[in-house]
Amino acid sequence: MYFSKLEGKDLKVYVDLQKLLTRHVAVLAKSGAGKSYTVGVLLEEIIEQGVPLLIIDPHGEYSTMKYPSEDNKEDLAVWQIESKGYLHTIQEFGDPSINPSFKPIKLSEKMSSFELLKLLPLNLSNTQESILFSVVKDIPDYDLNFDNILIGLSEIQNANIWPVIDTIKHLRDLGIFSAVPTPLQEIVRPGKATVLNLKGVDPQVQKMITAKLLADLFQARKRDQIPPFFCVLEEAHNFVPEKGFGKAQSAETIRLISSEGRKFGLGLCVVSQRPALLQKTVLAQCSTQIILKVTNPND
């Protein structure tokens, strides 16, 4: 792929797309130093090759790729490229109440007690964990949903369980979990770039959506139910923070994808303005690192 020109020379820089996609990428720079623009250049080239893409976009920055840029036309001519839009290639999922043009994203509410425990934005005591385990275990798979879990929990006479009931009610009322989830084959499609636009969504909910979606996609990819794809994670330090810099439900799945995804045809690109806050295990797995302006000594 044509990536750039060497500064001060009329030499085009090309990158081996096969190696880039299968060995993970990190794009690191402080805010305003051109991370999203650089990733945009990468994505346009990947789109041209028809590789399925998933872009997890917490700030809604990648919608602009749908339309040709009206700015910098003279600058682009210097690079011998023209402004292009990808309106028919990009599909955007998100909350339709924030933007009616978004396709709604629905995740499967069928979860084991282990999955549910990892997803809850709550540190449970041993007592709370054992009660939740026993309730979920007693519900048949075909009946496993938030309503039935709540019914089971409300029948237990224990004051410790009320915080768990409140949290599960909150998850149910978010409207993102459903008995009829969005098919994973619709999210990862050959020749399509899917933008998961999470602009305006609570950060805690962003982490839950990312955790559940990536876990389901990774399992589907292992079983060959979806094609190989490339996943771009913006503001990655929020989704997979270094130990001691906060927690995220998505961290374990992203770490697993960074270490095992290559074997199953799942490439990862982490984009961060604070590399020091990003989990070192994930950063170490990124064979290609594109580093722009960083000024903090720890970064």
Side-chain angles (χ1 to χ4, degrees):
M1 53 163 278
Y2 172 35
F3 184 61
S4 63
K5 277 190 174 180
L6 197 61
E7 189 173 16
K9 307 280 181 188
D10 193 31
L11 289 173
K12 289 184 175 181
V13 176
Y14 287 89
V15 178
D16 185 328
L17 205 54
Q18 181 69 27
K19 288 180 181 174
L20 186 91
L21 292 177
T22 55
R23 295 182 188 169
H24 309 317
V25 190
V27 183
L28 311 170
K30 64 190 290 186
S31 183
K35 288 188 306 299
S36 298
Y37 193 94
T38 303
V39 175
V41 171
L42 283 173
L43 296 185
E44 286 173 355
E45 293 291 320
I46 293 167
I47 287 170
E48 297 280 343
Q49 303 292 335
V51 176
L53 275 172
L54 170 65
I55 303 155
I56 295 171
D57 184 9
H59 299 318
E61 294 174 300
Y62 290 89
S63 300
T64 55
M65 286 179 64
K66 289 181 182 177
Y67 309 103
S69 170
E70 293 304 315
D71 307 327
N72 311 335
K73 284 192 174 178
E74 297 81 7
D75 292 339
L76 292 177
V78 174
W79 304 92
Q80 296 159 23
I81 50 178
E82 288 179 6
S83 184
K84 282 183 73 173
Y86 296 92
L87 181 61
H88 301 298
T89 307
I90 291 175
Q91 53 176 7
E92 210 162 0
F93 285 84
D95 185 349
S97 67
I98 293 172
N99 187 326
S101 70
F102 291 167
K103 292 183 178 180
I105 184 85
K106 297 288 181 185
L107 305 172
S108 174
E109 68 178 358
K110 287 192 183 300
M111 286 180 259
S112 66
S113 49
F114 182 65
E115 279 184 291
L116 186 58
L117 281 173
K118 287 201 292 187
L119 207 61
L120 289 177
L122 191 68
N123 287 324
L124 301 185
S125 67
N126 292 339
T127 308
Q128 290 169 328
E129 277 191 18
S130 58
I131 291 171
L132 186 57
F133 265 122
S134 64
V135 167
V136 174
K137 183 169 62 69
D138 291 340
I139 301 171
D141 281 353
Y142 58 84
D143 256 350
L144 190 57
N145 57 43
F146 286 140
D147 285 329
N148 288 335
I149 292 171
L150 287 169
I151 290 167
L153 289 173
S154 61
E155 290 171 355
I156 290 165
Q157 302 298 315
N158 189 321
N160 287 329
I161 210 63
W162 287 108
V164 183
I165 290 174
D166 283 345
T167 306
I168 291 175
K169 273 184 182 172
H170 175 62
L171 287 185
R172 180 195 64 186
D173 296 343
L174 286 172
I176 55 172
F177 294 95
S178 169
V180 189
T182 307
L184 298 177
Q185 292 78 8
E186 194 180 317
I187 295 169
V188 175
R189 292 167 61 192
K192 288 283 183 186
T194 296
V195 176
L196 180 57
N197 192 326
L198 298 173
K199 186 178 182 181
V201 177
D202 178 82
Q204 200 67 48
V205 178
Q206 289 184 3
K207 291 170 190 174
M208 275 193 286
I209 292 172
T210 304
K212 177 66 176 151
L213 179 62
L214 287 183
D216 289 352
L217 288 171
F218 191 33
Q219 285 304 318
R221 182 62 214 120
K222 282 180 178 178
R223 295 171 185 147
D224 224 12
Q225 295 166 344
I226 54 173
F229 70 100
F230 189 60
C231 175
V232 176
L233 186 65
E234 267 282 355
E235 304 294 345
H237 54 277
N238 291 330
F239 295 98
V240 57
E242 178 61 304
K243 292 178 181 71
F245 290 104
K247 287 186 176 181
Q249 297 94 317
S250 48
E252 192 178 328
T253 301
I254 295 165
R255 184 184 53 74
L256 202 61
I257 289 171
S258 75
S259 57
E260 296 181 15
R262 190 177 68 85
K263 302 172 200 167
F264 301 102
L266 202 174
L268 181 68
C269 173
V270 292
V271 187
S272 177
Q273 54 183 294
R274 286 305 317 274
L277 306 186
L278 181 61
Q279 200 175 104
K280 299 290 180 287
T281 311
V282 173
L283 210 48
Q285 296 290 350
C286 296
S287 297
T288 305
Q289 299 196 356
I290 299 169
I291 301 165
L292 306 167
K293 188 174 185 180
V294 285
T295 52
N296 183 293
N298 293 328
D299 290 334

